[in-house]
């Protein structure tokens, strides 16, 4: 067992809300050191230093987990940092993500957002003897120069501040929650130089980085002693070109730096911001070279690439990538800027497929799904956000279904059966939860419709979140919530059965359940002529995608008619991810491309024409007249609609797998061309190597180039014909 378990949690004897605490310990290395290891974690987030050098490059360690059950600790090899003789180790600890859920995490020994540290430094000397330095009451503590820190509001750093050191207090706190690092580390990734200095019509000094991102700004602080330099981070300028911060809601997103007169580079270390622009106050003679934005997110390996002849489509794809960068900061979040930034399950579910093409997210999702399981209630309910926070409830269709959809998607992309095995109990508990809700009609007093225990017409759901078919400001859309819930009841049950079969389990009971759900669904929601009773785009999409209708042709016609009638999509979070896949399946390729390449509102490319550099939360985030959607819910960095990226890989470039196979071991290239594009190319790094697909038009011919990694089987399906492919590059001209 790692030594951290023999250390104590320590805190500063005085609690001051918002203050970061600096813990320290001086020690002497009596003999030559052969190796040194630091095990460390905290309640909050920490930055550790030995002899003033930062330990490791993990940002916002120890990361965000279901803290009352799972708290990661990190292990660093610090051999090279130890001096012969005198040494000092310090750790600055801020309140971090714990503030989100304050009421739950306090004990009688520690306030909910109060920083605390636990660490163990193990020195092994050349002669084989070992010395262990555990956090205990011999450590010192004081308030640090970060006099205020908060994940939503930002940081205040006072370079003139110094506080009295006291003895730290060791306090009883369970160590059963400690687990070794499980997710990806969080790291500084892209560095984006400042692009433009703007003086707004209202006279504010603003820097535009030209790219919305999540992280912070590094800048050169140079100002007379006592000057306060203030940076406000925000996403967009309003239609008059002025600073717009209303959509951040209560999150202040500020950095305050109080100068000691010393010129120094500075960046915050206990918080993060979502922004493209910053407003500067207190700065004199602004030099753009002094400002760099740093993107901070989980250290995932990039695996997917896409490019086409259409610059707008390429920018959309880049926005999807930036959406993932901005919201895969240890937990898949809805957004990185306003006072929310939570692990919304529905958003994670819809984006998980494309996420796993863009980056290797196997480690990232393994950790998060362990958190989903840790927070799953006894009765199987999944809360809306994971890690759960105090104010949230749970059990929404398409949100809770993250419990089945994400593990299944990770299995499809990476083929790791062990992951599926680990997640199976959670998947089953979720399906059984729905089954019990559907059977228990007492849960819904105003119960309407068929009392079948196979229809999930109880509970509260988010519906087709942000769909446009009830007008562009209504959040829940027109598609009946119970319809969506029952459709997902069927879908989750189907995925559970598939997972169980892969794992060799007897799934007969759930198969019977599935058949009953489909039967009840058809009786309740499918007309005699095969059309779907709930007459919306999303309803048709779900019936087709989840194979819930016996008459696909009628539902397909209905969907096409609905789309043609309005001339654009009206789907929300639930229908949108499947829309183009369904159109492709029913042979409506041109219509799929019409929607994909449409530039007018509402469409995927409309925000791109408005200069978006990340995915917007709403189709109408900023309207053609420059006005904004309601500030109460209008993020400009919300990846959910970016789910369309998987259609770019799977249909535009045509990289798919044979049904029943995983991890791109048996590839079917099935690209769909469109006359509005002259080329498309995409590649995905898989466990067997690079899978790539490219097509380009040359005169009246189309040249296809497919790359097959060694060890994979592959064929191409082009214009209805099948071509066997060999390892390496294959070129076919038609
Ligand atoms: C979040 C979403 C989330 C939704 C649930 C919003 O506040 O930002 O993305 O899925 O609530 O309805």
């Amino acid at each position: 067992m790692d030594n951290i378990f023999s250390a104590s949690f320590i805190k500063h004897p005085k609690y001051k809300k918002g203050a970061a605490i600096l813990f320290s310990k001086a020690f002497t290395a009596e003999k030559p050191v052969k190796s040194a290891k630091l095990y460390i974690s905290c309640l909050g987030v920490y930055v550790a230093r030995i002899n003033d050098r930062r330990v490791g490059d993990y940002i916002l360690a120890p990361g965000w987990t279901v803290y009352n059950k799972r708290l990661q600790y990190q292990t660093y090899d610090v051999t090279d940092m130890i001096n012969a003789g005198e040494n000092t180790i310090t750790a600055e600890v801020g309140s971090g993500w714990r503030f989100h859920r304050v009421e739950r995490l306090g004990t009688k020994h520690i306030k909910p957002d109060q920083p605390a540290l636990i660490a163990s430094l193990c020195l092994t000397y050349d002669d084989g003897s070992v010395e262990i330095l555990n956090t205990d009451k011999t450590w010192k503590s004081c308030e640090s120069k970060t006099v205020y820190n908060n994940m939503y509001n930002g940081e205040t750093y006072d370079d003139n501040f110094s506080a009295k050191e006291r003895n730290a207090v060791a306090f009883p706190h369970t160590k059963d929650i400690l687990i070794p690092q499980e997710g990806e580390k969080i790291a500084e990734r892209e560095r984006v130089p400042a692009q433009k200095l703007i003086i707004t019509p209202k006279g504010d000094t603003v820097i535009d980085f030209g790219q919305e991102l999540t992280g912070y700004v590094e800048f050169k602080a140079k100002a007379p002693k006592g000057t306060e330099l203030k940076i406000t981070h925000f996403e967009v300028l309003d239609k008059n070109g002025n600073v717009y911060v209303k959509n951040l809601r209560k999150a202040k997103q500020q950095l305050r730096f109080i100068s000691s007169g010393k010129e120094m580079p500075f960046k915050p270390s206990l918080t993060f911001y979502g922004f493209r622009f910053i407003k500067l106050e207190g700065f004199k003679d602004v030099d753009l070279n002094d400002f760099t934005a740093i993107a901070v997110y989980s250290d995932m390996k990039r695996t997917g690439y896409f490019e086409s002849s259409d610059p707008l489509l390429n920018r959309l794809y880049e926005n999807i990538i930036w959406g993932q960068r901005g919201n895969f900061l240890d937990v898949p979040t809805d957004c990185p800027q306003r006072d929310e930034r939570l692990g919304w399950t529905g958003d994670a579910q819809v984006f998980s497929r494309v996420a796993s093409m863009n980056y290797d997210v196997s480690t990232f999702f393994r950790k998060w799904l362990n958190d989903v399981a840790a927070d799953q209630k006894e009765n199987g309910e999944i809360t809306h956000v994971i890690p759960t926070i105090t104010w949230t409830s749970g059990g929404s269709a398409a949100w809770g279904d993250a419990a089945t959809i994400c593990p299944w998607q990770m299995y499809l992309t990476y083929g790791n059966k062990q992951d599926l095995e680990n997640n199976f109990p959670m998947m089953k508990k979720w399906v059984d939860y729905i089954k019990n809700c559907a059977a228990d009609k007492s849960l819904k007093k105003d119960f309407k419709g068929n009392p079948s225990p196979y229809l999930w017409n109880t509970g509260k759901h988010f519906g087709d979140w942000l769909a446009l078919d009830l007008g562009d400001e209504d959040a829940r859309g027109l598609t009946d919530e119970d319809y969506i819930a029952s459709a997902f009841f069927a879908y989750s049950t189907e995925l559970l059965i598939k997972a169980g079969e892969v794992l060799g389990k007897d799934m007969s009971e759930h198969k019977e359940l599935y058949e009953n759900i489909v039967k009840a669904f058809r009786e309740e929601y499918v007309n005699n002529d095969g059309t779907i009773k709930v007459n919306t785009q999303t309803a048709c999409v779900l019936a087709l995608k989840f194979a819930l209708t016996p008459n696909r042709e009628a539902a397909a016609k209905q969907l096409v008619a609905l789309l043609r009638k309005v001339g654009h999509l009206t789907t929300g979070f639930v229908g949108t991810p499947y829309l183009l896949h369904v159109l492709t399946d029913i042979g409506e390729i041109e219509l799929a491309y019409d929607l994909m390449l449409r530039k007018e509102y509402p469409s995927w490319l409309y925000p791109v024409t408005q200069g978006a550099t990340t995915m917007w939360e709403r189709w109408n985030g900023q309207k053609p007249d420059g006005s904004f959607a309601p500030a109460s819910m209008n993020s400009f960095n919300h990846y959910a609609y970016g789910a369309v990226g998987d259609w770019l890989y799977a249909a535009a470039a045509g990289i798919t797998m044979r049904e029943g196979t995983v991890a791109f071991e048996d590839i079917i290239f099935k690209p769909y061309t469109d006359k509005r594009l002259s080329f498309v190319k995409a590649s995905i790094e898989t466990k067997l190597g690079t899978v790539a697909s490219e097509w380009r038009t040359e005169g009246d011919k189309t040249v296809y180039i497919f790359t097959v990694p060694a060890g994979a089987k592959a064929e191409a399906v082009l214009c209805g014909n099948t071509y066997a492919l060999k390892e390496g590059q294959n070129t076919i001209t038609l």
Side-chain angles (χ1 to χ4, degrees):
M1 192 183 267
D2 288 334
N3 264 313
I4 192 162
F5 291 93
S6 60
S8 302
F9 278 95
I10 56 171
K11 63 179 180 181
H12 186 51
K14 291 215 169 277
Y15 167 70
K16 186 168 160 218
K17 203 169 176 47
I21 302 300
L22 188 69
F23 296 95
S24 63
K25 171 87 182 168
F27 63 96
T28 311
E30 305 280 2
K31 300 178 258 186
V33 170
K34 186 162 109 204
S35 71
K37 262 193 182 169
L38 175 65
Y39 304 93
I40 181 167
S41 186
C42 71
L43 305 181
V45 290
Y46 72 82
V47 176
R49 291 193 166 79
I50 293 179
N51 301 322
D52 276 340
R53 278 169 63 205
R54 185 175 177 131
V55 175
D57 54 1
Y58 194 131
I59 308 299
L60 300 172
W64 189 16
T65 43
V66 173
Y67 288 137
N68 53 344
K69 297 196 180 130
R70 295 155 38 78
L71 175 64
Q72 297 185 125
Y73 64 89
Q74 284 74 39
T75 305
Y76 301 98
D77 183 338
V78 293
T79 314
D80 295 343
M81 304 180 83
I82 309 291
N83 295 334
E86 299 304 303
N87 291 272
T88 306
I89 176 168
T90 65
E92 186 180 15
V93 186
S95 56
W97 282 283
R98 266 169 47 99
F99 79 96
H100 278 312
R101 22 190 302 170
V102 280
E103 299 102 82
R104 263 179 73 187
L105 294 178
T107 70
K108 76 174 191 241
H109 302 288
I110 185 100
K111 293 267 191 294
D113 59 343
Q114 187 175 359
L117 179 71
I118 183 164
S120 179
L121 177 64
C122 304
L123 306 175
T124 306
Y125 292 114
D126 274 356
D127 63 7
S129 59
V130 175
E131 189 177 337
I132 292 174
L133 259 123
N134 282 339
T135 39
D136 60 19
K137 62 181 193 246
T138 67
W139 284 54
K140 302 282 177 211
S141 67
C142 64
E143 283 159 21
S144 81
K145 285 178 191 278
T146 309
V147 293
Y148 175 77
N149 77 106
N150 175 289
M151 284 293 202
Y152 291 148
N153 294 337
E155 266 180 45
T156 304
Y157 181 90
D158 184 348
D159 205 30
N160 303 306
F161 181 81
S162 72
K164 190 165 172 253
E165 259 189 357
R166 297 164 189 269
N167 284 332
V169 176
F171 65 98
H173 194 80
T174 178
K175 285 184 259 178
D176 296 347
I177 52 176
L178 288 169
I179 54 166
Q181 172 68 29
E182 200 177 83
E184 299 283 7
K185 76 172 179 195
I186 304 164
E188 290 189 351
R189 304 283 297 252
E190 291 75 15
R191 295 176 69 85
V192 179
Q195 304 283 309
K196 213 172 31 179
L197 186 63
I198 301 168
I199 303 297
T200 68
K202 284 195 177 157
D204 288 326
T205 304
V206 163
I207 288 178
D208 178 4
F209 288 95
Q211 174 61 57
E212 164 125 9
L213 55 83
T214 301
Y216 38 71
V217 174
E218 183 174 64
F219 64 100
K220 203 185 279 170
K222 39 180 187 191
K225 186 174 166 118
T227 312
E228 179 178 304
L229 303 175
K230 185 159 132 194
I231 300 181
T232 304
H233 304 69
F234 64 102
E235 298 189 279
V236 281
L237 295 169
D238 70 13
K239 64 176 173 188
N240 301 317
N242 287 314
V243 175
Y244 184 74
V245 290
K246 274 205 193 114
N247 66 326
L248 305 174
R249 305 196 307 212
K250 289 198 189 114
K252 290 203 174 67
Q253 287 226 109
Q254 287 176 342
L255 174 85
R256 289 153 176 261
F257 177 94
I258 297 144
S259 175
S260 61
K262 199 168 69 192
E263 187 174 313
M264 61 192 269
F266 185 81
K267 59 183 177 186
S269 49
L270 301 173
T271 191
F272 66 91
Y273 309 85
F275 65 102
R276 166 175 165 173
F277 298 92
I278 53 174
K279 174 174 128 182
L280 303 179
E281 289 168 88
F283 288 81
K284 289 257 164 345
D285 307 323
V286 175
D287 179 351
L288 283 185
N289 296 316
D290 290 347
F291 297 84
T292 306
I294 304 176
V296 171
Y297 54 98
S298 292
D299 206 14
M300 312 163 289
K301 181 170 174 263
R302 179 82 184 265
T303 48
Y305 296 88
F306 173 90
E307 201 192 330
S308 74
S309 54
D310 185 332
L312 291 181
L313 195 58
N314 297 344
R315 184 63 237 193
L316 173 77
Y317 175 77
E318 283 306 308
N319 294 358
I320 296 170
I321 295 290
W322 275 105
Q324 182 162 356
R325 290 173 178 155
N327 285 295
F328 272 50
L329 208 173
D330 216 25
V331 161
T333 55
D334 55 337
C335 59
Q337 72 300 79
R338 68 178 178 223
D339 54 354
E340 194 149 0
R341 313 182 188 187
L342 298 170
W344 279 96
T345 47
D347 307 41
Q349 174 269 105
V350 303
F351 195 70
S352 59
R353 184 176 163 88
V354 66
S356 72
M357 310 283 138
N358 295 335
Y359 283 88
D360 179 349
V361 291
S362 52
T363 304
F364 179 89
F365 267 99
R366 185 173 303 129
K367 165 194 167 263
W368 185 67
L369 287 168
N370 286 341
D371 283 311
V372 180
D375 258 343
Q376 184 171 32
K377 296 205 179 135
E378 241 347 277
N379 67 357
E381 183 183 289
I382 301 285
T383 38
H384 302 321
V385 302
I386 305 284
T388 303
I389 53 161
T390 43
W391 50 260
T392 196
S393 55
S396 171
W399 270 251
D401 295 285
T404 49
I405 295 172
C406 297
W408 182 249
Q409 185 57 54
M410 293 309 119
Y411 175 64
L412 287 183
T413 308
Y414 305 112
N416 187 340
K417 268 195 202 172
Q418 190 54 52
D419 282 341
L420 203 56
E421 183 82 57
N422 295 347
N423 286 310
F424 188 81
M426 165 178 76
M427 299 169 79
K428 181 168 178 306
K429 254 172 105 175
W430 168 247
V431 170
D432 290 345
Y433 164 80
I434 308 177
K435 187 177 83 180
N436 294 336
C437 289
D440 186 354
K441 297 305 168 194
S442 67
L443 291 175
K444 191 166 179 176
K445 301 274 171 340
D446 61 342
F447 158 69
K448 58 181 192 287
N450 190 335
S452 163
Y454 303 113
L455 294 175
W456 188 11
N457 42 23
T458 60
K460 272 198 148 200
H461 305 280
F462 291 113
D464 189 18
W465 190 246
L466 300 186
L468 297 172
D469 39 16
L470 261 189
D472 61 6
E473 284 185 11
D474 182 279
R476 280 166 204 256
L478 183 61
T479 310
D480 182 66
E481 280 176 23
D482 293 349
Y483 176 93
I484 295 174
S486 293
F488 275 86
F489 184 13
Y491 188 48
S492 270
T493 308
E494 183 192 346
L495 296 184
L496 178 73
I497 294 166
K498 285 186 175 174
E501 287 182 339
V502 168
L503 299 171
K505 298 184 193 292
D506 173 12
M507 298 306 294
S508 46
E509 220 176 277
H510 284 92
K511 278 188 183 157
E512 196 185 324
L513 172 66
Y514 178 74
E515 276 158 28
N516 285 326
I517 301 167
V518 175
K519 186 162 167 278
F521 188 93
R522 290 177 176 178
E523 278 167 18
E524 179 78 354
Y525 293 119
V526 182
N527 289 314
N528 288 339
D529 65 359
T531 52
I532 307 300
K533 282 189 193 160
V534 177
N535 193 25
T536 66
Q537 294 178 11
T538 288
C540 296
V541 164
L542 294 185
L544 288 160
K545 166 73 190 168
F546 299 161
L548 294 172
T549 167
N551 187 340
R552 289 183 68 77
E553 220 170 290
K557 261 198 186 154
Q558 187 180 356
L559 173 62
V560 172
L562 282 165
L563 283 162
R564 295 221 189 278
K565 189 166 157 216
V566 284
H568 55 76
L569 54 71
T570 57
T571 48
F573 275 31
V574 169
T576 306
Y578 305 128
L579 176 61
L580 297 192
H581 289 292
V582 163
L583 288 175
T584 311
D585 283 352
I586 62 175
E588 291 288 341
I589 316 299
E590 197 176 339
L591 182 54
Y593 267 112
D594 287 348
L595 297 178
M596 180 77 267
L597 298 176
R598 179 186 157 94
K599 297 184 199 58
E600 300 74 28
Y601 166 78
S603 67
W604 283 282
L605 292 186
Y606 165 70
V608 179
T609 66
Q610 301 300 299
T613 61
T614 35
M615 300 306 298
W616 292 357
E617 175 174 26
R618 313 179 76 118
W619 297 116
N620 57 345
Q622 188 163 19
K623 299 178 195 164
D625 67 1
S627 63
F628 292 118
S632 58
M633 217 174 47
N634 195 18
S635 141
F636 291 92
N637 193 357
H638 234 75
Y639 55 50
Y641 287 143
V644 72
D646 63 54
W647 186 84
L648 297 176
Y649 290 114
I655 304 176
T656 67
M657 285 178 248
R658 189 180 300 283
E659 184 66 31
T661 67
V662 295
F664 298 96
E665 287 163 357
D666 192 346
I667 309 157
I668 301 185
F669 291 100
K670 204 173 175 188
Y672 292 98
T673 59
D674 184 89
K675 53 183 181 314
R676 287 160 283 190
L677 299 178
S678 61
F679 82 88
V680 159
K681 59 179 180 184
S683 64
I684 300 171
E685 199 59 45
T686 72
K687 97 180 167 199
L688 293 174
T690 307
V691 178
S693 168
E694 178 175 348
W695 58 262
R696 57 181 66 247
T697 48
E698 282 182 9
D700 57 356
K701 298 233 178 296
T702 305
V703 181
Y704 298 89
I705 304 171
F706 303 116
T707 308
V708 180
K713 285 208 262 171
E715 63 184 38
V717 179
L718 303 169
C719 311
N721 298 317
T722 301
Y723 301 80
L725 302 179
K726 57 178 180 14
E727 257 175 52
Q729 223 180 57
N730 301 258
T731 305
I732 301 170
T733 305
L734 293 177

